[in-house]
Structures are given as structure tokens and as C-alpha cells.
Amino acid sequence: MQRTLCTDLPTATPGEPVRIQGWVHRRRELAQLTFLVVRDRSGLAQVVVRGDAAQGLPPEETPVEVTGTATANPQAPGGVEVTDPTVTALSDDADTPPVELWRPTLSASLPTLLDHAAVTWRHPVQRAKWELAAAAMKGFRDTLDAGGFTEIATPKLVESATESGANVFQVDYFGRPAYLAQSPQFYKQVLVGVFERVYEVGPVFRAEPHDTVRHVAQFLSLDVELGFIEDHREVIQVLRDVVAGMVEAVGTYAAPAVERLGIELPVVLEEIPLLHFREALEIAGAPADEPDLAPAHERALGEWARAEHGSDFVVVEGYPTANRAFYSHPDPADPHWSRSFDLIFRGTELVSGAQRLHRYDDYVRTLEERGYPYEPYASYVEAFRRGIPPHGGFAIGLERFVGRLTQSPNIREVTLFPRDLHRLAP
Amino acid sequence: MQRTLCTDLPTATPGEPVRIQGWVHRRRELAQLTFLVVRDRSGLAQVVVRGDAAQGLPPEETPVEVTGTATANPQAPGGVEVTDPTVTALSDDADTPPVELWRPTLSASLPTLLDHAAVTWRHPVQRAKWELAAAAMKGFRDTLDAGGFTEIATPKLVESATESGANVFQVDYFGRPAYLAQSPQFYKQVLVGVFERVYEVGPVFRAEPHDTVRHVAQFLSLDVELGFIEDHREVIQVLRDVVAGMVEAVGTYAAPAVERLGIELPVVLEEIPLLHFREALEIAGAPADEPDLAPAHERALGEWARAEHGSDFVVVEGYPTANRAFYSHPDPADPHWSRSFDLIFRGTELVSGAQRLHRYDDYVRTLEERGYPYEPYASYVEAFRRGIPPHGGFAIGLERFVGRLTQSPNIREVTLFPRDLHRLAP
């Protein structure tokens, strides 16, 4: 007999035999009968066990197979339950879970949630968060595939740190030092020289020495880079389409998860409101000589975008060049400002991007101006003697995106098995 | 004016203005005129420059923009060329490339190919290999998405080595030791407990101390795991569909790359020929007490599958339990043999998989029988007290798949920036 998924049970013909598989979500013993709620990847189903059959039913979280009769019952979830069942355990009795997974909400503290992640992710509301993540990845890739981008896979073991010397993990690489890549920045830039338009979905590593709610030591970075651009505005347009594709995919492929979480998906306008850094400071009520936007400023900008444009997103461009990565392209009209941008989602920075430098001489001059030594950057910078067109890109932190979607206070709540200063397991 | 991709030039109306962008692939100066072949991500286009305009044209590999007139010429690639052009360099003149990229084949030695990977990947035939890889990843994911699988992203920094103590990279993790994950084995197994069916596309790390043509220190692993199975045969069926999906996607999304490489895509039959390990030894002419298949045996089996079944693939199941990973499920009918399998593609092992143990007690007994200490495996094994259904899975090495498709003698030829004993850059 074919397996029926729990959410498909309502489509079964009453009186017909059915077979379901899943975990014992809840075992509720009454005087006359036992209700067994079975959970599978799709949802829940109710099984009614009467008489002797109710003896020795496996405890919660044990995987089971149930064959029985589909029976209409307006009080059952979906209006159909399984009666007259044969319940077969598919493994030994499960240990009592560290948290009660059958309760509608998971009230465990964050440390408990994380210590027992392999179990706590089973809770339907918790699981829903990752279902958003999986759908978002699909939307990311589908949008870029349609735009002529090539997916790449780059080395995570590198000879030197690109982004900054600090916050990098050192590896014993056959007896010599190597480092875990903090981003695929160099590789995506040189691969623009090959494929013009590239993206990567892969882990990046930051030896973040501070315990914050926004940082973990490994996260999934959704990286994009494209060549033959006029300026950073073309990159912002691609970013807009990518974010719209991610939100749309969440709505399409993770609709039950969205419903379970009770969240509202954000609005991605055709044109995301765009502010220059100077205007952004003004709107946020910050002094005109601030070098960067503080979290409070980003919150103010989020409120402004919602109030003025009904938008959950706002892009700020033109951050001061001196405050951005050295490979950011200055604004030719006034090199004090850069062709960089951030995307602010509901008042928090979600994405950083920019047009990059593409000429070797510009790299050399910038390193000099900043007082950076040439040698550690030599192999990076010399790649630009090989003919790289004007290009730019951005990176989206997947878990940060999901964290904002679900309004999770801590990034760890939406990371499958987070790594940080204190946590290396499970 | 909209940009026209080189391969779309034949669809331009003769006499109309066009704009193309790309790299100077070849600059051929004749007495009366200069031919400029421009290469973009789609292919090549011919630009004809006459008179004074032919002075000071940028050298090969410089990115350029060309505006001019689309002109029919039966001798041009695709029958249309660009005449009366304005050529604008989009960066400084590129250095002379280390290899002549305009030649139809890339004849550089492997070390040259790898030392200058950022440039040599630009060669249309070389680039085609990665285009196969990108399409294969898409086919992998699309097949599994359609089958109810959830994409996961698991930690690459782990507390202890799952597969074996050797060949593991050690990391300085905030002052204590951590290791780079050799596979997502543990995580995909426990996440079967959450999502039932999972897959991951991610890097795995092996500190491979030997210099072989088949091994690198980092490769992209396409991992699959599914629960509620009867036995390993269900896993083999999923593997068949996944490989068929990958091959089909290569044919659909990378057709120009397949043509450029001049390769023939493999046949994936509805039912891949399946042999028990004992039969496989017999067909390969090996002694009945061999514990494993040697490369020569795999080649013989590849020939057998082609001759007897017209198949590029053959599955061997039932390898001796003692010779497989400790988490492999024995055959209940005779535990000397296991419910494990390999997929052999054109005479080389491409995929390993198995039904896994799913009961805590079985893990404990197996560790004892093998004389493995409990402690290092404790957190792995104790996850199976939480109720994990019968499950199994497999892993495909992406670069190995592409290497077989393209008949590349060395895995490094199909890895974007390979890492090995000697190579940590570029």
C-alpha cells in the first residue's frame, strides 16, 4: 500500500485503508481510547486506538508506521483520522525528549534549544524556519540562473586572509598555515573574468571573538558578482530581483511554513527606495560627518521606508570610501563617496555590496593611500592585470535573511547547528 | 543600445547598429584590415576593423565594448560580423596571457593550467567543463526538490572526525582544536529525524597525504539522505533518478558546452544493472574471497555493463560489512554482507551509499565488534536514542562526476581552484 502523507489524509476516501509513517508526536491516553498524533514532514494526523491495541504503544518521538482505515471526523485535523489501526514501531522506543515537542510553541531557553538542536528542530514551528531558508536558497538560484549567471564553488582553504587579518581561523595544512575563507571575494571577482556573472552558495568563516546576537562563526553566504556594468546601480537592480525572487520562492515553496510561523512576507517594490548616504544621515537625524550608519540609524531608515514608501527595504548608496573595503569603487564625481551600498531590511542591514575596483593601478594606489603593505595582497591585486571588466556584487547572509523574516532576536535560532565562541557541538 | 550576446549576433538585422561586450580573444592584423574576435560568456563574434581605426586596438584578453554595424558575411562565425566598429577598452591593456587562449585547444601542462587557473579557465573548452558542473548541480537539486527533499547547510567545523581519525585538517578554534568536516554524515542522518529527506551541496575536506589523480583536499559533495525506507534498494532508486536528472540537466542547460567538448552524454537506463558483490567478483574474474573491488575490477564491470546492457552505469550492492563504514546496515539475511552499494560510472566508482544503522543498540554493538572506543562516537551514536527511522543515503563527488563525463585523466582539470598536498593557491 502506498504511503499517504499526513496532510494528504483529508483526500483519502473514507472507509478505505491507508498507511502513514512518521513520529509519535503525542500519545494521549484516555479511559476508553488513546489518541496518537503522528507527525511527518508534511504535518500531523490523528490516529484513534481502542481496546487492547492501546497497550504498549510506543512513546513520543518513536518513528512508527500506521495502517488503518481513513475515517471522517470533523474534530480531527483536516476532518479525517485513522481508525482501527495497526501501529508498528520502526525503531526502539525513543528517549523522552528534552523539551515537549507536542506543545504548540517551543518554550525552551536558547541554550536548551541549541544543546538539543537535533531534536528541537523537529518542532513544527522551529522546522518551519529552516523551510523558509531552503525555499529562499531556491529563489536565489532560480533568479540568477534565469539571468545568465553560473554557479561556482570556490576554495575554503586559502593562503592569506582577504578581508582583514583578524577574525580568521587558522588551519594546519599539511604542516603549514592556511586560513578558512572569510568570503569568496577574490574568487568571484576573478571568475567574472571567466563567466561574467557568477554566484555561490557556500559557508564562510569568521572567528568572531564577540558574543553577539547577530554573529556566528560559520554562516551561509549567498554571493553574487557580475561584470560589464555601468555602475553600482546595475548591481542594485540585480539585488532587487534576487531578493524579490527569494521572497516569492518562500511564498510559493514554503507556504505551509509561512502559515505555521504566522509571519507576513515583506513587500519588494519594483524600485526599492534609494538614498544617498548623506540623505540617509539626515533622515536618521545623525550629524552630517558620521562615517557610518549605526543600528539606531538603520532602524530609523527602516521606519522611514515603511512610512514614506510602504517598503520593507531601503537601499543606501555612497558610503564614505574610507569606511568601506579597499576594493570598493569610489564615485568618480567625488571620490570621498563610494559606489557601495547596503540593503536595509526592516531596519537592519542585510546585504553589503559595491562596484569594485577593476584596474590594477587603482588597486596599487588604494593600497598605498591606505598604508596597506603590497605583499599580502600581491596575488589578489595582480589578477587585475589580466583584463577584468567593470564589475560589482554583493553577499546576503542566509540566516540573517531568515532571522529578519521571522523576527528572531538571535541569529542562532535560525541556524541549523550554530558555531560560536563557546559552541562547537552538536 | 541594448547589449547583444555574441551568439545572438546572427539574429541581428543586417545593417542595424549593434553593441557587444567581451574580451579580445584574438587580434589578427593583416595588411588592409584587422580581425578582432570578441569572446563573451556565450561565445565568439568577429569584428572587422579597417584603416586608421585598426591602430592602437587593445591586446588580447582586454575587456572591450564594440559598437558597430551587423553585417552578413558567410565566412564569419554564425554568418554575421560587426563592421565599421568603435572599440572601447573597458580596462587597461591586459598582460600577455601565460597561454594562448585563442587556440582551439588548450595545450598547457597541468601545472601551468593550475598556476594560472584564473586565466586558463577563460578558454572556451576549459570553461565548458565547469558549465557541465553548474548544470549538474542544478539537475541534482531540481530532482530532489521535486521528490520532497529539503536542502540543508551543516557545520564544516566539528569537534571530532566522523569518518576516520586520519586525513583530517585541524583548526585553531578560539584556542582549542576543531576539525574540518570530512562529510556531513552525522548531520544528514540526524536531520532525517527532522525533515525525513535531506540533501546538501557543500565542500568537504580530506587531508589526503597522497598525490593521486583522483583526490584533492577539498571537493564539492552532493549528499543525500532519506528516511522511512524498506532497504537500500529504495536509496538506489533515488540515486538513479538523481543521476538521470543531472545528466538531463547537462544536456538541457549546458548543451553548448557539451558540443564544445565534443562529448557524448551517458545513458541512464530506467533500471541500472545491479549486481551483488559476489557476482561482481565473478564477472571481474576476481577470487571469491576478495574483500573489495580493485580499480581493474571496476573497469571490467564497466565493460560488462556496456556490453551486456548498453549501460554506462552499474550498481554493485552487498559489499562485505567488515569493509564498509561502521554505520552501514548489515544484510539481515546474512550479516556478512552489507546493505551498501557503489555506483560505477564508465568503470570508475562515482558514488558510495548504503542503508545505515538506525538503532542505538546496533551502533553500540558494532563499535564493540570492531573494537572502536565508545567515547569519540558518543554524541554521534546517542543521537539514535531519539527515534530515527530506517534510512540511507549516498554522496556524489561533483568534480569526479564531471571528470568522468569529460574523460579527464586528473580530477584537478575539472576543479575550479584545486587544493592538494602542494597547492594552496591560487
Side-chain angles (χ1 to χ4, degrees), chain B residues 10 95 105 114 130 139 151 157 175 191 203 214 218 224 274 324 345 353:
Chain B
D95 282 6
T105 54
L114 302 182
W130 190 260
E151 182 170 7
L157 289 159
L191 288 173
R214 287 172 70 175
Q218 177 191 324
V224 172
L274 178 70
R324 302 290 280 202
F345 174 26

Side-chain angles (χ1 to χ4, degrees), chain A residues 141-160:
Chain A
R141 293 197 193 93
D142 286 353
T143 307
L144 293 165
D145 286 344
F149 285 76
T150 300
E151 183 169 6
I152 57 173
T154 67
K156 303 307 161 200
L157 288 160
V158 295
E159 214 168 22
S160 58

Side-chain angles (χ1 to χ4, degrees), chain B residues 140 182-184 200-204 206 219-223 394-399:
Chain B
F140 176 81
Q182 292 170 298
S183 91
E200 178 165 16
V201 175
V204 297
R206 310 270 166 98
F219 64 90
L220 208 70
S221 185
L222 310 182
D223 266 280
F394 56 85
I396 307 175
L398 177 67
E399 293 88 349

Side-chain angles (χ1 to χ4, degrees), chain A residues 160-165 182-183 185-186 189 320-330 338-340 354-374 376-382 384:
Chain A
S160 58
T162 27
E163 295 293 318
S164 68
Q182 292 170 298
S183 91
Q185 188 61 33
F186 168 68
Q189 289 188 260
T321 307
N323 254 54
R324 301 291 279 202
F326 72 96
Y327 46 74
S328 308
H329 202 293
S338 66
R339 284 184 168 176
S340 69
Q355 180 178 352
R356 328 291 189 181
L357 297 176
H358 62 280
R359 291 176 196 267
Y360 172 73
D361 291 350
D362 289 343
Y363 275 96
V364 173
R365 197 181 47 250
T366 303
L367 290 177
E368 270 174 24
E369 284 170 5
R370 297 205 175 197
Y372 292 5
Y374 183 81
Y377 297 97
S379 65
Y380 181 174
V381 161
E382 281 166 22
F384 295 92

Side-chain angles (χ1 to χ4, degrees), chain B residues 42-191:
Chain B
S42 73
L44 305 175
Q46 181 168 291
V47 177
V48 185
V49 196
R50 290 173 197 274
D52 288 352
Q55 300 300 311
L57 286 173
E60 281 149 14
E61 293 311 311
T62 306
V64 292
E65 172 167 293
V66 179
T67 53
T69 306
T71 303
N73 174 358
Q75 267 141 28
V80 175
E81 62 189 11
V82 181
T83 59
D84 203 16
T86 303
V87 178
T88 311
L90 296 176
S91 188
D92 300 323
D93 287 358
D95 282 6
T96 305
V99 293
E100 290 180 315
L101 292 172
W102 55 269
R103 292 198 183 272
T105 54
L106 196 54
S107 57
S109 70
L110 186 61
T112 304
L113 206 67
L114 302 182
D115 286 346
H116 303 281
V119 176
T120 53
W121 275 107
R122 295 185 182 184
H123 191 280
V125 174
Q126 183 62 13
R127 193 183 67 201
K129 295 176 192 166
W130 190 260
E131 289 168 0
L132 302 189
M137 281 192 267
K138 182 166 166 57
F140 176 81
R141 292 196 193 94
D142 286 353
T143 306
L144 293 165
D145 286 345
F149 285 76
T150 300
E151 182 170 7
I152 57 173
T154 67
K156 303 307 160 199
L157 289 159
V158 295
E159 213 167 22
S160 57
T162 26
E163 295 293 317
S164 67
N167 299 358
V168 67
F169 288 111
Q170 187 172 321
V171 182
D172 174 1
Y173 192 77
F174 300 113
R176 55 177 166 145
Y179 305 92
L180 291 182
Q182 292 170 298
S183 91
Q185 187 61 32
F186 167 68
Y187 294 100
K188 63 179 187 165
Q189 288 187 262
V190 301
L191 288 173

Side-chain angles (χ1 to χ4, degrees), chain A residues 283-320:
Chain A
I283 288 171
D289 60 352
E290 281 282 319
D292 203 355
L293 296 176
H297 302 147
E298 292 176 353
R299 279 195 296 277
L301 293 167
E303 282 162 27
W304 171 87
R306 170 129 293 286
E308 295 293 316
H309 297 276
S311 175
D312 287 299
F313 298 91
V314 50
V315 172
V316 179
E317 63 175 2
Y319 286 75

Side-chain angles (χ1 to χ4, degrees), chain A residues 41 92 95 122 130 141 151 156-157 170 172-173 187 196 218 359 385-387 419-420, chain B residues 23 41 92 95 122 130 141 151 156-157 172-173 187 196 218 359 385-386 419-420:
Chain A
R41 67 178 189 268
D92 300 324
D95 282 6
R122 295 184 183 184
W130 189 261
R141 293 197 193 93
E151 183 169 6
K156 303 307 161 200
L157 288 160
Q170 187 173 320
D172 173 1
Y173 191 77
Y187 293 100
E196 294 185 26
Q218 178 190 325
R359 291 176 196 267
R385 300 172 75 135
R386 298 299 187 182
R419 291 292 178 260
D420 63 24
Chain B
W23 288 264
R41 67 178 189 268
D92 300 323
D95 282 6
R122 295 185 182 184
W130 190 260
R141 292 196 193 94
E151 182 170 7
K156 303 307 160 199
L157 289 159
D172 174 1
Y173 192 77
Y187 294 100
E196 294 186 26
Q218 177 191 324
R359 291 176 195 267
R385 301 172 74 135
R386 298 299 186 182
R419 291 293 178 262
D420 63 24

